[in-house]
């Protein structure tokens, strides 16, 4: 059963007790789910915070016996416990992904997909939170230690601090750092221009540097057009943009002990001559 197709996932929502949790379950067919779960003895879970940076745990395994017959899959998961606390009580504002052992590929794919999709929402909410409180995150001075990354089978999730991305957008005065000519629209959450945050040096190259790349010096505020251009644009078209950003950020990066040449930056984007 293709796990990339939305119709093959069952979606269940929990709004009781103000928990505001969403359950995404694969495969959608209840009989197929329980058949795999019984054959392999386990249900695998992943947790993604809707708004917060982190959760008490990113993954959990439920052992499956024969006591599930009277429950839907989502209710069975809710009634399961971690350290004697029901899942439905332990997590709030959480997306919970579930798949039986034997369907881990679906789970890992959806986990990464959701983690990427939810980030702009989290950043917008962080911008609004800071504005309401009048308290803004202060990044440490000097180089920063690398954060510990999360491994998801063959994939790596590079931890990102949404507070730094929120700062980068706010410090850019909610204007695209590449061009002001592209049309912008107001975010319904912040009531400011909607912008996205882009790591100039992609985090997948973190192993090439001694210190963290998840720093404000390496985060550029860009409009959706420029963001997609950097990720998917023609190599020659993005070269002048990379040069512009390199000039703007070279000294700031050096202050965090991230030393970069323009040729390296070109190579990271496949634009080297």
């Amino acid at each position: 059963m293709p796990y990339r197709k939305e119709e093959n996932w069952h979606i269940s929502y929990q709004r009781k007790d103000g928990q505001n949790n969403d359950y995404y379950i694969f495969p959608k067919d209840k009989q197929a789910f329980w058949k795999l779960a019984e054959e392999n003895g386990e249900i695998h879970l992943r947790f993604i915070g809707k708004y917060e940076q982190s959760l008490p745990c990113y993954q959990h395994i439920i052992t499956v016996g024969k006591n599930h017959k009277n429950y839907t899959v989502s209710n069975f998961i809710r009634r399961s416990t971690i350290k004697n606390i029901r899942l439905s009580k332990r997590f709030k504002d959480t997306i919970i992904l579930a798949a039986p052992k034997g369907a881990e590929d679906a789970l890992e794919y959806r986990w990464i997909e959701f983690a990427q999709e939810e980030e702009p929402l989290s950043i917008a909410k962080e911008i609004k939170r800071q504005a309401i409180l009048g308290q803004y995150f202060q990044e440490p001075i000097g180089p920063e230690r690398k954060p510990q990354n999360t491994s998801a089978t063959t994939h790596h999730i590079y931890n990102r601090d949404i507070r730094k991305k929120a700062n980068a957008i706010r410090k850019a005065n909610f204007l695209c750092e590449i061009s002001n000519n592209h049309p912008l629209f107001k975010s319904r959450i912040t009531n400011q221009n909607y912008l996205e945050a882009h790591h100039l040096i992609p985090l997948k190259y973190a192993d090439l540097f001694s210190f963290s790349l998840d720093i404000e010096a390496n985060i550029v505020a860009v409009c959706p057009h420029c963001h997609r251009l950097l990720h998917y644009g023609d190599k020659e078209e993005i070269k002048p943009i990379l040069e512009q950003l390199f000039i703007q950020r070279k000294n700031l990066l050096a202050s965090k002990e991230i030393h970069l040449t323009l040729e390296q930056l070109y190579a990271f984007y496949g634009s080297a001559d």
Side-chain angles (χ1 to χ4, degrees):
M1 183 181 293
Y3 55 78
R4 293 173 183 260
K5 291 188 176 181
E6 194 77 31
E7 61 265 27
N8 290 333
W9 290 78
H10 172 70
I11 304 174
S12 176
Y13 303 100
Q14 180 195 2
R15 298 294 180 262
K16 295 180 181 178
D17 303 322
Q19 295 302 90
N20 189 29
N21 295 330
D22 302 339
Y23 295 77
Y24 285 74
I25 296 163
F26 179 90
K28 181 178 183 178
D29 180 79
K30 179 181 176 182
Q31 290 183 339
F33 184 98
W34 283 125
K35 184 175 185 296
L36 272 175
E38 287 182 350
E39 287 176 354
N40 297 297
E42 294 176 351
I43 297 173
H44 289 225
L45 305 178
R46 297 289 186 273
F47 305 86
I48 301 170
K50 289 185 178 181
Y51 316 126
E52 299 178 12
Q53 291 175 260
S54 59
L55 289 169
C57 66
Y58 280 102
Q59 55 189 352
H60 180 62
I61 295 174
I62 301 173
T63 302
V64 178
K66 301 293 183 181
N67 60 340
H68 61 267
K69 298 297 184 181
N70 296 326
Y71 300 111
T72 64
V73 176
S74 54
N75 279 334
F76 179 81
I77 293 169
R78 290 168 188 158
R79 294 170 66 90
S80 300
T81 61
I82 298 178
K83 294 182 179 179
N84 297 319
I85 301 175
R86 278 193 179 186
L87 263 170
S88 60
K89 300 289 186 181
R90 186 178 182 90
F91 294 100
K92 181 178 180 180
D93 295 330
T94 305
I95 296 169
I96 301 172
L97 310 180
K101 185 178 180 181
E104 291 93 337
D105 285 349
L107 193 58
E108 305 298 354
Y109 170 82
R110 203 54 184 264
W111 185 31
I112 292 168
E113 183 183 62
F114 262 113
Q116 293 171 342
E117 287 178 353
E118 290 299 311
E119 189 178 68
L121 177 62
S122 299
I123 293 169
K125 288 184 175 291
E126 177 62 18
I127 290 171
K128 183 176 181 179
R129 185 190 71 83
Q130 291 185 16
I132 290 173
L133 295 176
Q135 298 175 354
Y136 301 100
F137 172 71
Q138 297 293 322
E139 184 179 69
I141 297 173
E144 298 181 39
R145 295 178 60 183
K146 293 181 179 180
Q148 184 176 358
N149 296 325
T150 302
S151 177
T153 309
T154 59
H155 303 278
H156 291 281
I157 307 298
Y158 294 93
N159 291 334
R160 298 160 167 85
D161 190 332
I162 62 168
R163 297 172 300 178
K164 296 180 179 181
K165 289 195 169 187
N167 270 10
I169 292 172
R170 179 175 56 81
K171 289 179 178 179
N173 294 319
F174 299 93
L175 295 173
C176 179
E177 294 189 62
I178 295 173
S179 173
N180 292 333
N181 295 327
H182 299 135
L184 299 174
F185 61 90
K186 296 290 185 184
S187 165
R188 70 181 64 177
I189 297 174
T190 65
N191 201 34
Q192 299 282 358
N193 289 334
Y194 174 84
L195 291 175
E196 297 175 353
H198 175 76
H199 285 93
L200 179 59
I201 305 173
L203 296 185
K204 66 182 179 180
Y205 295 111
D207 290 345
L208 300 179
F209 298 89
S210 300
F211 296 98
S212 176
L213 292 179
D214 189 34
I215 51 177
E216 291 177 27
N218 192 41
I219 300 173
V220 183
V222 290
C223 67
H225 170 87
C226 289
H227 200 185
R228 297 301 174 269
L229 178 62
L230 285 167
H231 280 285
Y232 309 116
D234 179 80
K235 295 175 183 179
E236 292 305 311
E237 188 175 355
I238 66 174
K239 282 185 75 172
I241 295 174
L242 294 176
E243 182 178 5
Q244 172 191 338
L245 295 175
F246 172 79
I247 293 170
Q248 293 173 358
R249 296 302 179 109
K250 179 182 177 181
N251 291 338
L252 290 173
L253 287 167
S255 72
K256 304 290 278 188
E257 294 297 332
I258 302 297
H259 300 286
L260 179 73
T261 67
L262 183 56
E263 289 70 27
Q264 279 181 305
L265 189 60
Y266 284 157
F268 293 156
Y269 288 80
S271 301
D273 292 329

